Amino acid sequence: MARPILWIVIPCYNEEQVLPITAPLFREKLRELTEAGKISENSRVLFVNDGSSDRTWDLIRDMAEKDEHFIGICQSRNRGHQNAVLAGLMEAKDRCDITISIDCDGQDDINAMDRMVDAYLEGAEIVYGVRARRDKDTFFKRFTAEGFYKLMKTLGAEVVFNHADYRLISARVLQHLADFEEVNIFLRGMVPLVGFSSTTVSYDRAGRLAGKSHYPLKKMVALAFNGITSLSVKPITLITTAGIGFSLIGLILMIWAVVRAILGQTVAGWASTICIICLLGGIQLISLGILGQYIGKTYLETKRRPRYIISARTWEKEERRYLEDNTN
Ligand code: UDP
Ligand code: MG
């Protein structure tokens, strides 16, 4: 049996500090896997430059020039981690047999790749990397991240617990992932929806080797919200249920107020009225906000904007094209 061609897909955004440390590690891993006879020597490390404003793209180009195993594509601007990974996977899907997506900061244990490839060779089409321990993450990060997975589950979105975007996907599965045309992408939720046989591989999550995280709380909350609203409509059901519940309470209160008015006891109760108005006002605003999120999503989806735009590839010459005829 021919050995599979592996492409390691790595999103990079302003990573000039960590890239020189981790790139050789990825290269070494490729070598190891090739020597162990698990993958073809035509395997590659594909960097996706996500519109970095530092020297990341220069570094990638340099590496590609010196070693044919390094290749890279460049997004026309910063579009975020999920879009960068998707761009890389879509680039890879027709040129390799398997892909492994991983962050470039060395936080996810590169050695888990051996077990991922083994699992593929044994028949799995998708292998999820699952974080067994995350001691190196701050308590806050761990707390918010794990809370996120639990919330996702309660809200009806199917995700693999403690699995981020470190995973092996076969080209066969990617061909089908390409048919998921949504613009609001949340790969963790989309990949399980494609189906096919899958398994998990656990590893310990380390600290970043250099540089700092690009996922501040704001982006994490945005990702969580996107994850939930892209995968599940349960929040809308919850709003409806809450609406019915509060309407019933309101009805009871109305009867109570009328009865008190008839009995001539209406002086008291100002405070409770105000409380109710505030409470209901708040709930209505939240509900409208959540509904608005879904409507906004629909709006974005109907536009069908491209999910990524690749402006350069290391294996293509960057040439500006001018019109032959300059008469204009
Ligand atoms: N990343 C990206 N685009 C962005 C932000 C991040 O491609 O807009 C990449 C980044 O270079 C890294 C990965 O996504 O390879 C994960 O980012 P980071 O390590 O900053 O997040 P954390 O691990 O702290 O969640
Ligand atoms: Mg990281």
Side-chain angles (χ1 to χ4, degrees):
M1 195 181 86
R3 288 177 295 164
I5 298 176
L6 164 71
W7 275 31
I8 303 179
V9 174
I10 307 171
C12 309
Y13 174 55
N14 290 348
E15 299 285 11
E16 61 178 7
Q17 285 180 36
V18 80
L19 217 48
I21 308 173
T22 51
L25 300 177
F26 291 120
R27 178 69 188 92
E28 191 50 41
K29 184 44 77 187
L30 220 52
R31 191 172 288 131
E32 258 177 61
L33 286 168
T34 313
E35 276 165 16
K38 288 180 185 172
I39 57 168
S40 152
E41 48 268 36
N42 294 324
S43 298
R44 295 284 181 271
V45 177
L46 170 69
F47 295 106
V48 183
N49 174 35
D50 186 18
S52 304
S53 52
D54 65 359
R55 290 184 50 254
T56 303
W57 181 237
D58 296 334
L59 292 176
I60 295 171
R61 273 202 307 212
D62 280 354
M63 287 191 284
E65 220 156 83
K66 291 190 190 107
D67 184 341
E68 59 166 3
H69 290 91
F70 286 127
I71 51 177
I73 56 175
C74 183
Q75 292 220 84
S76 60
R77 55 161 294 169
N78 180 251
R79 290 293 300 273
H81 171 242
Q82 296 289 305
N83 298 64
V85 176
L86 186 73
L89 294 178
M90 291 302 116
E91 196 69 21
K93 77 178 194 313
D94 300 316
R95 301 183 173 92
C96 66
D97 301 301
I98 40 177
T99 59
I100 295 182
S101 52
I102 185 169
D103 291 351
C104 76
D105 55 11
Q107 281 193 281
D108 298 312
D109 183 12
I110 296 175
N111 293 318
M113 285 188 192
D114 297 78
R115 285 179 286 141
M116 287 184 172
V117 175
D118 287 345
Y120 168 78
L121 294 174
E122 282 160 20
E125 301 273 348
I126 306 170
V127 187
Y128 301 101
V130 170
R131 295 162 182 175
R133 284 194 350 223
R134 23 195 332 163
D135 318 354
K136 293 285 159 45
D137 279 341
T138 59
F139 171 75
F140 181 70
K141 174 103 194 180
R142 206 163 65 218
F143 183 75
T144 47
E146 291 187 348
F148 163 64
Y149 292 105
K150 289 190 184 130
L151 183 70
M152 292 284 296
K153 208 164 173 172
T154 8
L155 289 181
E158 192 190 332
V159 285
V160 179
F161 188 73
N162 257 344
H163 158 70
D165 284 293
Y166 183 18
R167 72 175 90 75
L168 178 149
I169 311 180
S170 72
R172 202 170 138 218
V173 171
L174 287 177
Q175 301 296 343
H176 296 286
L177 185 69
D179 293 334
F180 285 61
E181 289 179 343
E182 61 229 68
V183 192
N184 295 286
I185 39 180
F186 184 65
L187 290 167
R188 273 171 243 184
M190 287 160 68
V191 175
L193 289 177
V194 186
F196 289 92
S197 59
S198 67
T199 182
T200 58
V201 154
S202 64
Y203 64 92
D204 293 339
R205 177 155 159 106
R208 237 177 188 276
L209 291 179
K212 60 177 194 320
S213 170
H214 302 100
Y215 261 104
L217 185 63
K218 201 173 138 208
K219 269 198 187 174
M220 267 181 0
V221 171
L223 181 72
F225 220 94
N226 193 18
I228 292 162
T229 50
S230 310
L231 288 172
S232 144
V233 285
K234 216 164 171 180
I236 293 186
T237 324
L238 287 180
I239 290 173
T240 320
T241 322
I244 294 169
F246 281 104
S247 308
L248 282 178
I249 295 172
L251 196 72
I252 294 167
L253 286 175
M254 238 168 68
I255 295 169
W256 172 70
V258 171
V259 170
R260 288 202 58 170
I262 291 170
L263 296 177
Q265 301 168 330
T266 40
V267 189
W270 181 81
S272 57
T273 314
I274 293 296
C275 289
I276 291 161
I277 290 171
C278 292
L279 183 71
L280 284 184
I283 289 166
Q284 280 168 353
L285 275 184
I286 295 171
S287 308
L288 280 178
I290 296 182
L291 285 174
Q293 289 284 337
Y294 281 97
I295 294 171
K297 285 245 150 83
T298 318
Y299 175 60
L300 286 177
E301 296 290 350
T302 52
K303 279 200 218 270
R304 289 257 149 263
R305 281 186 180 153
R307 299 183 288 183
Y308 52 84
I309 295 169
I310 295 167
S311 59
R313 294 176 172 84
T314 52
W315 61 92
E316 283 173 359
K317 279 232 152 41
E318 278 173 73
E319 276 173 12
R320 275 177 190 269
R321 280 183 292 138
Y322 293 99
L323 292 175
E324 299 274 291
D325 181 5
N326 279 332
T327 44
N328 172 231

